[in-house]
Amino acid sequence: MKHLRKLLYPFSVVYHGVTAARNTLYDLDILSSEKYELPIICVGNLSVGGTGKSPMIEYLLNLLKTEKVAVLSRGYKRKSTGFQLVTVNDSVLKSGDEPLQFKNKFPRAIIAVDANRQHGIAELQKFSPAVILLDDAFQHRKVQAGFQILLTRYDELFTKDLLLPAGNLRESRGGMWRADIILVTKCPSELSQEKMREIEREIAPTSYQKVFFTGIEYDSSVFNKQESMLLQDFMRKKFTLVTGIAKATPLVQHLNRLSGNFEHLEFGDHHAFSEEELRKLRKHARILTTEKDFMRLRNYFPAEQLYYLPIQVKFLNGAQPEFDQSIQNFINKKETR
């Protein structure tokens, strides 16, 4: 499929011309970007999906849990329009799966969705947050976030990718210059120092950029609407893995390493399950899914049938304190201005 997509390279050249012209207009201030005194941190990527933005937003929410934090997301595939505050009992159709996940895990945080980031920030400022996290807004140049975190997958570095439609890049790799931090995500836990240095040379960060490496850490327990269970106990019986995420391979590999006996039913990212699909899924006695998928499925199954396995970000090479300090330094600098 990748080789077939390369036949679309001429269209990527046209796409590059359009996106490069747009970025240049913003860089030259011909197109205006809104600046804010409030600390605003953007988490995004150059490619289409699957880099781990949601776990990073959750990491920041946990890091800043003593602050009054707001998250602004687009609310991908929701049916509502405009600005919406997310509540724990919302439907996915109103808020989108990931914002609903954020609100359920961090009920004290202010979670909102709005495709118009300028409008969304203006609405959130009415609640006087100490910091706003922008989910997947790296290409939203109308907003000038004070701090930019750029994510790229270990096995799909943006330096080795092509622009849409021949590849998965939303804009050229030159967009990395806007980032303050570059996170190489979903790395294997045993990644060597030599390999890290090789990747950093490949990325070639500027003098003001820091590169960090992170992996995925799976919880030792699974959860449903009512209770939790140790993953090793859950896996003693056969189950069905249901995923509707961009990249399910790491999860499948993790469960295989634990010798799980399961079949995998894979759907597209943010998949909207039809009544027929739900009917077929109900025939499976025990279902394990991701936390994001659980938000879309939880209202259609009894608690004892549907479980999810949480994940979190794990920094490699003992770099977590340095990353945390970079975030705190930015917030403290903004607060003392």
Side-chain angles (χ1 to χ4, degrees), residues 6 53 104 192 230 309:
K6 288 180 180 179
K53 294 182 295 296
N104 275 265
S192 68
L230 287 175
L309 178 62

Side-chain angles (χ1 to χ4, degrees), residues 51-82:
T51 57
K53 294 182 295 296
S54 294
M56 178 48 54
I57 290 289
E58 291 184 355
Y59 180 89
L60 293 172
L61 281 166
N62 190 59
L63 174 65
L64 303 171
K65 58 189 174 185
T66 60
E67 306 277 1
K68 189 177 182 181
V69 183
V71 177
L72 181 61
S73 179
R74 170 185 169 190
Y76 186 61
K77 285 198 173 181
R78 65 187 172 109
K79 298 300 182 181
S80 62
T81 57

Side-chain angles (χ1 to χ4, degrees), residues 22 40-45 53 57 72-74 114-115 117 121 133-145 148-149 170-171 178:
R22 175 179 178 270
I40 295 180
I41 300 173
C42 170
V43 176
N45 43 232
K53 294 182 295 296
I57 290 289
L72 181 61
S73 179
R74 170 185 169 190
D114 197 334
R117 299 308 207 279
I121 291 172
L133 307 179
L134 296 182
D135 177 29
D136 196 13
F138 199 77
Q139 282 74 40
H140 285 260
R141 299 296 305 273
K142 289 183 179 180
V143 168
Q144 194 169 127
Q148 301 258 21
I149 302 174
R170 298 171 172 176
E171 60 173 306
R178 301 196 303 275

Side-chain angles (χ1 to χ4, degrees), residues 81-92:
T81 57
F83 179 85
Q84 300 282 343
L85 280 177
V86 179
T87 68
V88 293
N89 295 317
D90 275 349
S91 71
V92 171

